[in-house]
Amino acid sequence: MTILAIVVPCYNEEDILPETIEQLRALRQQLIDEQLISSESKIVFVDDGSRDRTWSIIYKACLRHEEVKGIKLAGNAGHQNALLAGMFAVKDVAHCIVTMDADLQDDIYVVREFVCKFHEGYDIVYGVRRKRDVDSYMKRWTAETFYRMMNRIGVKLIYNHADYRLMSRRAVEALQQFREVNMFLRGVVPLLGFPSAAVYYDRKERKAGVTKYPLMKMMRFAFDGLTSFSMMPIRFVSLLGFCSFFVSVLFAIYVLFLKMTGHTQTGWTSLILSIWLVGGLQLMAIGLVGEYIGKVYKEAKQRPRYIVDIDLLHWPMMASCDGEERLKKLSDFL
C-alpha cells in the first residue's frame, strides 16, 4: 500500500493552521478509507522560523494525533528551503510526497487525483491553476508575464504552477543531487525528466492570515528564478551596450558633418543626456553582473540551506507512547 507524506511549510500561520490540520487529517482518512494510501501516511508541518504560535500549534497537534509530525527549523530559511527540508526528511519513509502551502488556497482534495496519477506510473504530478481570479490584477499580470518570459528564454516552467505537486521517492532522491544554494524548485523539478502529468484545479480565497508573498517579494523571487536559470539578462545588457555604441558612432558622424558644413551650435543638453544615458547603462550592467557574482559567492561558501532545530518525525519514542506518558516523554525530549 502506498505511503503518502503531505509536507506543509509554515511561516506565521497561527490563524489558519488549526483548520489546515483538521482538513488534512480528514483528507488523509478519506484516502485511507478508499484504500488509495496506507494508514502509515503522515502529515508533516515544517515551521520555517515562525515568530507567532505556529510551532506551539504544530507541537500540540503532534501530541494529539500520531499521523501529524512536525519539523522546526532553527531560523527562517525561506519557503523553498522549508519545502526541501520536509521532502528530504520524509523521503525514506514515504513512497510519494505532496507539497502544499498552509493557507488552504490550493484545493486539497486534488491530492486524490495526484495519488491516482502516481498509481498510473507518474513520478511528478503538477497542480495547475485553471485561472487566477482570486489574485489582484497586478499580481496576476506580473505572474503571467513572468511565466511567458521564462518560457521564451528557454526555461521550462509549468504555466500557472506554483509548489503544489506530488513527487515520487525516486524523484525526490534525484532532486537531492542538486546542490545549489539558490534552489528555484519550479525550474529545477521539470529538469528531472521523470514521467509527469498535470491536474487542474480552482484556487480559493485565503481564509485567514496574510500572504507571505507581497508584490515586491514576488518580484524578487521571480528575478532570482530568472538569474538562476538564464544568462539572457546579462546578454541583454551587452546588447544595450552595443546599441549604445552604435548610436554614439552615428551621433559622432552627425556632429562631424555639422562641423564640416559650419552649422555647429554650442550647447550642453545633448552632452548631458548622452552622459546620463551611458552612465545609466553602465550602472545597470554593473548591478546585473554583481547579481550573478553574488550568486556565485553564495554557492562557493556552500553553507547549509537550512538547519533543523527539532525533528519530531524521526523521534523514536513517539510511536510507542500514549496519553500522559507520551506528553511527558515528548516534553523531556524538547
Side-chain angles (χ1 to χ4, degrees):
M1 187 71 73
T2 300
I3 299 177
L4 170 69
I6 300 176
V7 173
V8 185
C10 306
Y11 179 68
N12 294 343
E13 298 286 1
E14 64 176 358
D15 294 330
I16 191 65
L17 196 53
E19 183 174 354
T20 302
I21 293 172
E22 292 308 312
Q23 289 200 25
L24 290 180
R25 289 186 60 241
L27 170 66
R28 171 186 173 274
Q29 190 58 50
Q30 177 183 328
L31 296 178
I32 291 174
D33 294 340
E34 295 180 19
Q35 298 186 345
L36 290 174
I37 62 173
S38 167
S39 58
E40 298 179 27
S41 299
K42 306 295 182 185
I43 306 168
V44 182
F45 293 92
V46 182
D47 178 25
D48 185 24
S50 298
R51 292 172 292 181
D52 59 3
R53 296 176 51 253
T54 295
W55 176 247
S56 175
I57 295 171
I58 296 172
Y59 163 71
K60 292 176 181 177
C62 292
L63 295 180
R64 297 190 187 100
H65 316 292
E66 187 176 349
E67 68 272 17
V68 177
K69 304 297 181 183
I71 297 174
K72 179 175 172 48
L73 302 186
N76 180 236
H79 180 266
Q80 302 286 282
N81 289 328
L83 282 174
L84 293 175
M87 288 192 291
F88 295 162
V90 302
K91 68 178 179 62
D92 293 328
V93 297
H95 298 116
C96 58
I97 300 165
V98 169
T99 57
M100 66 172 65
D101 292 337
D103 55 18
L104 294 178
Q105 286 190 271
D106 297 321
D107 184 2
I108 65 171
Y109 294 99
V110 173
V111 172
R112 184 183 185 281
E113 297 181 51
F114 284 0
V115 175
C116 290
K117 291 290 185 182
F118 173 74
H119 289 160
E120 293 174 11
Y122 293 101
D123 286 281
I124 303 172
V125 184
Y126 301 102
V128 180
R129 306 169 189 174
R130 288 193 181 94
K131 50 189 177 181
R132 307 182 68 101
D133 291 349
V134 299
D135 294 336
S136 65
Y137 172 79
M138 181 58 67
K139 187 173 183 179
R140 183 167 62 249
W141 180 81
T142 53
E144 292 174 352
T145 301
F146 170 70
Y147 282 114
R148 292 193 184 98
M149 180 177 61
M150 293 290 280
N151 284 321
R152 285 180 180 176
I153 65 176
V155 181
K156 187 179 179 182
L157 290 184
I158 307 300
Y159 187 72
N160 270 345
H161 163 70
D163 292 301
Y164 190 24
R165 68 177 73 89
L166 176 145
M167 297 181 67
S168 67
R169 177 187 294 172
R170 70 166 183 161
V172 175
E173 289 174 345
L175 179 65
Q176 199 168 13
Q177 298 178 35
F178 288 74
R179 300 296 184 181
E180 64 236 50
V181 175
N182 301 283
M183 180 72 78
F184 184 65
L185 285 174
R186 301 179 197 184
V188 171
V189 173
L191 293 178
L192 299 179
F194 292 116
S196 61
V199 173
Y200 294 88
Y201 69 96
D202 293 321
R203 189 167 168 82
K204 304 175 183 178
E205 294 276 1
R206 172 182 274 269
K207 294 185 177 182
V210 296
T211 178
K212 306 307 181 295
Y213 273 91
L215 181 59
M216 290 304 299
K217 190 172 182 179
M218 283 291 296
M219 293 180 68
R220 288 197 299 269
F221 179 70
F223 189 70
D224 283 341
L226 178 62
T227 53
S228 295
F229 276 84
S230 176
M231 294 295 293
M232 188 62 68
I234 204 166
R235 289 172 182 166
F236 178 71
V237 171
S238 299
L239 178 62
L240 281 179
F242 281 114
C243 291
S244 177
F245 174 75
F246 181 70
V247 170
S248 66
V249 170
L250 293 179
F251 186 72
I253 295 174
Y254 173 69
V255 171
L256 182 62
F257 173 77
L258 291 178
K259 183 177 180 61
M260 293 177 63
T261 57
H263 292 87
T264 56
Q265 294 182 359
T266 60
W268 57 271
T269 304
S270 58
L271 178 62
I272 294 299
L273 289 176
S274 299
I275 292 175
W276 284 359
L277 173 63
V278 175
L281 289 174
Q282 289 176 337
L283 290 175
M284 185 169 61
I286 292 172
L288 192 56
V289 171
E291 181 72 23
Y292 281 96
I293 293 176
K295 287 185 177 293
V296 174
Y297 173 65
K298 288 182 179 180
E299 297 293 343
K301 289 187 294 186
Q302 295 188 345
R303 291 178 178 174
R305 288 178 289 213
Y306 56 86
I307 296 175
V308 175
D309 183 11
I310 301 172
D311 183 359
L312 301 184
L313 175 68
H314 296 104
W315 191 50
M317 305 181 76
M318 285 288 284
S320 60
C321 302
D322 294 313
E324 295 182 0
E325 180 185 7
R326 187 178 181 191
L327 174 60
K328 181 180 182 303
K329 291 190 174 183
L330 181 58
S331 300
D332 293 340
F333 171 72
L334 297 176

